Amino acid sequence: MSGLVVVGVDGSASSLAAVEAAAREARWRGAGLRLVHAFIWPAMHVPLGPSPLGPPEGGLRNMVEHLLAEAEARARTVAPEMEVSRAVVTGEPLTVLQAQSRAAELVVVGSRGMGGFVGLMVGSTAVHLAAHGRCPVLVVREQGQGTGPIVVGVDGSSAAAGAVDFAFAEAALRGVDIVALHAWTTWNAPMPAPQDEAMPYANEPEVLAAREERLLSEALAGHQETYPGVSVKREVVHGGTREALIEASRTAQLLVVGARGRGGFAGLLLGSVSQAMLHHAHCPVAVVRGPSNGR
């Protein structure tokens, strides 16, 4: 075992889909799988054992053990020989899984848990972890495993550099191709002063497009030498980043984005693009904070 993949378990259909995805990730990595349930009831002083008037197998603690047993059985349908551990941790899911991320190389959660409001496409736990997790966070919906490429969003930021690192490593593990997508508009492309000071402070679209092509090439530099078996298709799109990534996710098996791009406000932990992907992408989304930490 060379690492640890952590998955949050709460018994929802979304979390069981996350368990299967986490089992695949652990198998590809040769890592162990840890099933984690955040057990909030002890902190609220609620009786945990079976009721004197109910069956002996009742009670909250027995319910949790049943949830984890079901999750482990689901994981072993994907990887029968994998090392699996269970952890029941007192606390609410946000803080429990954030703490678990410190020792993990990947945390996997379902897009929606047992709580929340009907109609929301992604739950608060997934969004919180994407912003605060100490390792990459994979958010999974109930849909089955896709067969398309891995799409990675590239914008030249340090967070996107970490996303590119993760995407190449993940593509090598899965044996699939990468689509490296960079979207730009005249509003988000850097516009240096023209060489002739008498000209307006602007650039022709062709000049901007050439700069954005270079940005993507520089962001990918060295990765294909490190991962020679990974084929990369480069796409530079003149248009909105959110729209381009959501459309690309329709045929992807995984979308990888950095937690923060080069826009937005300093101090924010999760940018508007990564939040939009969590809510609207058509495939699982991996959110990577900052440069790769090598775990």
Side-chain angles (χ1 to χ4, degrees):
M1 187 176 68
S2 60
L4 183 65
V5 174
V6 169
V7 57
V9 177
D10 67 2
S12 65
S14 183
S15 82
L16 290 176
V19 166
E20 292 187 359
R24 285 190 291 268
E25 294 288 345
R27 183 187 66 200
W28 289 327
R29 289 168 165 76
L33 178 66
R34 178 181 293 168
L35 309 171
V36 177
H37 178 79
F39 199 30
I40 196 170
W41 300 112
M44 301 177 71
H45 307 290
V46 174
L48 306 180
S51 167
L53 302 178
E57 65 274 13
L60 291 172
R61 188 172 295 281
N62 285 334
M63 180 194 71
V64 169
E65 293 299 332
H66 175 76
L67 291 179
L68 291 173
E70 181 184 7
E72 181 172 348
R74 184 72 68 95
R76 293 199 182 280
T77 64
V78 176
E81 305 301 322
M82 180 177 52
E83 182 175 337
V84 180
S85 60
R86 307 180 191 179
V88 179
V89 183
T90 299
E92 47 88 27
L94 304 179
T95 54
V96 167
L97 290 174
Q98 182 181 340
Q100 291 285 323
S101 73
R102 296 177 180 273
E105 61 180 77
L106 180 69
V107 173
V108 185
V109 292
S111 60
R112 289 291 312 281
M114 298 295 286
F117 298 92
V118 174
L120 289 181
M121 300 187 72
V122 66
S124 60
T125 298
V127 174
H128 177 94
L129 276 177
H132 297 277
R134 302 299 295 271
C135 68
V137 174
L138 175 60
V139 180
V140 179
R141 291 193 173 93
E142 290 91 325
Q143 295 95 320
Q145 173 79 357
T147 58
I150 291 175
V151 174
V152 57
V154 181
D155 69 0
S157 66
S158 61
V164 171
D165 292 343
F166 181 89
F168 270 88
E170 190 74 11
L173 290 171
R174 298 185 181 210
V176 299
D177 300 339
I178 285 179
V179 174
L181 190 152
H182 173 61
W184 66 278
T185 69
T186 53
W187 295 104
N188 64 18
M191 294 192 293
Q195 294 181 353
D196 184 350
E197 295 182 359
M199 293 177 63
Y201 190 78
N203 294 105
E204 296 294 328
E206 294 79 10
V207 175
L208 292 175
R211 287 181 60 86
E212 301 306 305
E213 291 275 3
R214 287 197 301 272
L215 182 151
L216 180 58
S217 296
E218 291 168 0
L220 300 177
H223 286 85
Q224 288 193 275
E225 289 77 11
T226 304
Y227 299 96
V230 176
S231 176
V232 182
K233 178 182 179 182
R234 305 181 183 195
E235 290 191 4
V236 178
V237 178
H238 186 194
T241 302
R242 298 173 186 80
E243 295 79 5
L245 288 174
I246 290 171
E247 182 60 29
S249 74
R250 292 182 183 275
T251 56
Q253 64 176 266
L254 176 67
L255 174 63
V256 184
V257 292
R260 283 290 315 286
R262 65 186 183 187
F265 297 93
L268 291 179
L269 292 173
L270 194 64
S272 60
V273 170
S274 50
Q275 289 201 49
M277 296 309 103
L278 290 175
H279 285 279
H280 300 294
H282 300 279
C283 66
V285 178
V287 179
V288 182
R289 287 186 61 212
S292 174
N293 58 16
R295 284 192 293 175

